[in-house]
Amino acid sequence: MFGNEFTEDSRAMVFSMDLMLSLILITVTLGVSADAMDIASSKMEDYVYGNSLERITLSGADMLVKTPGSPENWEELNDLGGITPGLADVDSTNMKIHSNIISIPKINRLTGSYDKLMAGRVIPTYCKSTLAIYPVDTSLEPIYVKNMSGNYSSTEVMVENRTVLCNYLNTSIILFINAVDRSRLSEQKQLGEECPHFGVNGNPAHLEVDYRNQKSGWVCYHFRITQEMLNSTDFYVMTDPICVEDPAAVWMMDRPENRTENIQFFRNTPIRVNDIIRESMGNNSTAVLWLHVYSSGNPDKAFNTYLAGFPKGTSYEKVNVQYLNPQPCYFVFKVWF
């Protein structure tokens, strides 16, 4: 009798212990599973967060680098309402968009109103960003379109770094005489345009240079200038190569209504010609002038000639042919939540 009672009590105790162990195991398993779910959920959130930030950064960089904005001349407008900024340069002659060539006037306009132009137009309003442009040529200073300290509140910052081209000094080529590639000379000549010195008073002056037969002569092209351009720009006659080896080479500048025979020698340095242009223009608000370049016709001593414009205030050290073409730069765009 006592044996049966003991057996039943023992069985009840064993059952209770098994149940308790099972409950403990279930509790531990649930706890581990909950932790695992939390970790998985956290990793999923991080993944979605990172991918979302990456998409925002990539699309924002694409909009800035590959499009000129809407409207394309937004940088010239006083009212910035309803516009979408873009930095891609637009050729004013044929209205062709130069993707990955960014415009310095657009950069300057964006710099002045960065937060207003970026939030809700390029990136969501809940994002923050910075933008800097670093020229590969270290003699040029970086442009900090939007700069902040490195103490970001976000734990993750997405960075998009691209190599682009930028007309860093906002230079312009008013006229280009390509004598080194002599096949281009006739292409540049506009139909119906004839040097105003040709045949004056029966004098066959300014006959064209003939490099094929090595005969000396002139290359003459016209350009249009305005008082507004003259007030904002310094104009230079420049050559490439900078040292002209042709001893016969000279140049002159005038207009049909005010011709001159005052020839100038090349100096192997850029020559500022604002005074010559101003004197030729007189009181006119706009005028057509001519640049005349004389050479010996020796193809081994041929040189290209530029009439180039640099913004007023540009230091003379930066006035060289190198800066007439867009400079390679690093476009660094950072975005975070």
Side-chain angles (χ1 to χ4, degrees):
M1 179 175 176
F2 289 104
N4 291 336
E5 289 180 359
F6 179 79
T7 301
E8 290 179 0
D9 290 341
S10 297
R11 288 175 180 174
M13 184 178 296
V14 170
F15 177 77
S16 297
M17 291 180 64
D18 289 343
L19 180 60
M20 184 178 295
L21 289 173
S22 298
L23 290 174
I24 291 173
L25 288 174
I26 291 173
T27 301
V28 170
T29 301
L30 289 175
V32 171
S33 298
D35 289 340
M37 290 294 292
D38 288 341
I39 294 172
S41 176
S42 177
K43 289 185 177 181
M44 183 64 70
E45 287 179 2
D46 290 342
Y47 176 78
V48 173
Y49 172 90
N51 277 324
S52 175
L53 187 59
E54 182 179 9
R55 287 195 302 271
I56 290 170
T57 307
L58 290 176
S59 62
D62 283 342
M63 182 181 296
L64 292 173
V65 169
K66 296 182 178 181
T67 75
S70 178
E72 292 183 352
N73 66 333
W74 64 268
E75 75 279 7
E76 301 173 1
L77 304 179
N78 292 324
D79 183 8
L80 298 179
I83 73 167
T84 302
L87 302 178
D89 186 55
V90 178
D91 190 327
S92 58
T93 303
N94 55 25
M95 301 308 294
K96 181 180 179 181
I97 298 173
H98 296 153
S99 180
N100 292 325
I101 300 181
I102 55 179
S103 162
I104 196 68
K106 292 179 184 290
I107 291 171
N108 292 337
R109 192 72 169 99
L110 180 61
T111 302
S113 304
Y114 185 87
D115 293 330
K116 180 178 181 180
L117 289 170
M118 293 291 289
R121 307 186 194 192
V122 178
I123 58 175
T125 55
Y126 54 82
C127 288
K128 294 184 179 180
S129 67
T130 63
L131 176 59
I133 298 167
Y134 301 93
V136 174
D137 182 350
T138 55
S139 67
L140 297 172
E141 296 182 359
I143 300 175
Y144 296 105
V145 183
K146 176 70 174 182
N147 191 28
M148 293 182 67
S149 65
N151 296 323
Y152 306 109
S153 58
S154 175
T155 58
E156 184 173 359
V157 178
M158 191 64 62
V159 180
E160 183 67 8
N161 190 344
R162 301 187 182 185
T163 302
V164 298
L165 295 175
C166 177
N167 186 353
Y168 191 86
L169 298 183
N170 198 22
T171 57
S172 56
I173 299 176
I174 310 302
L175 189 150
F176 173 50
I177 298 175
N178 191 342
V180 173
D181 182 1
R182 291 171 291 282
S183 64
R184 297 285 302 277
L185 287 175
S186 59
E187 294 178 7
Q188 291 175 271
K189 201 74 171 180
Q190 296 191 21
L191 296 177
E193 296 294 341
E194 191 172 78
C195 171
H197 285 262
F198 184 81
V200 176
N201 298 324
N203 180 15
H206 290 203
L207 291 175
E208 290 188 16
V209 64
D210 184 353
Y211 283 101
R212 178 175 298 178
N213 297 305
Q214 299 193 30
K215 291 183 178 181
S216 62
W218 295 84
V219 179
C220 310
Y221 289 113
H222 74 280
F223 60 96
R224 184 177 298 276
I225 207 79
T226 66
Q227 287 289 350
E228 183 179 358
M229 295 168 63
L230 194 57
N231 293 336
S232 62
T233 307
D234 285 332
F235 296 97
Y236 293 88
V237 170
M238 310 169 67
T239 61
D240 183 19
I242 190 67
C243 294
V244 176
E245 297 182 358
D246 188 344
V250 294
W251 64 276
M252 57 188 294
M253 186 181 295
D254 60 9
R255 60 183 295 198
E257 299 87 350
N258 185 20
R259 290 189 299 270
T260 181
E261 298 297 334
N262 184 22
I263 62 172
Q264 309 274 345
F265 289 97
F266 291 98
R267 304 175 189 169
N268 297 332
T269 57
I271 303 169
R272 188 174 181 272
V273 294
N274 283 53
D275 291 341
I276 296 176
I277 295 175
R278 185 176 291 106
E279 182 179 351
S280 298
M281 290 187 66
N283 295 324
N284 300 104
S285 60
T286 182
V288 174
L289 280 68
W290 284 75
L291 176 64
H292 316 265
V293 177
Y294 181 85
S295 61
S296 66
N298 184 344
D300 295 330
K301 296 183 178 180
F303 57 93
N304 293 334
T305 308
Y306 295 85
L307 174 63
F310 286 74
K312 278 193 178 297
T314 302
S315 63
Y316 189 74
E317 291 75 17
K318 295 179 180 178
V319 179
N320 59 61
V321 173
Q322 174 189 0
Y323 297 131
L324 296 182
N325 298 310
Q327 298 291 302
C329 300
Y330 299 115
F331 181 94
V332 181
F333 185 46
K334 298 180 181 180
V335 180
W336 68 97
F337 290 133

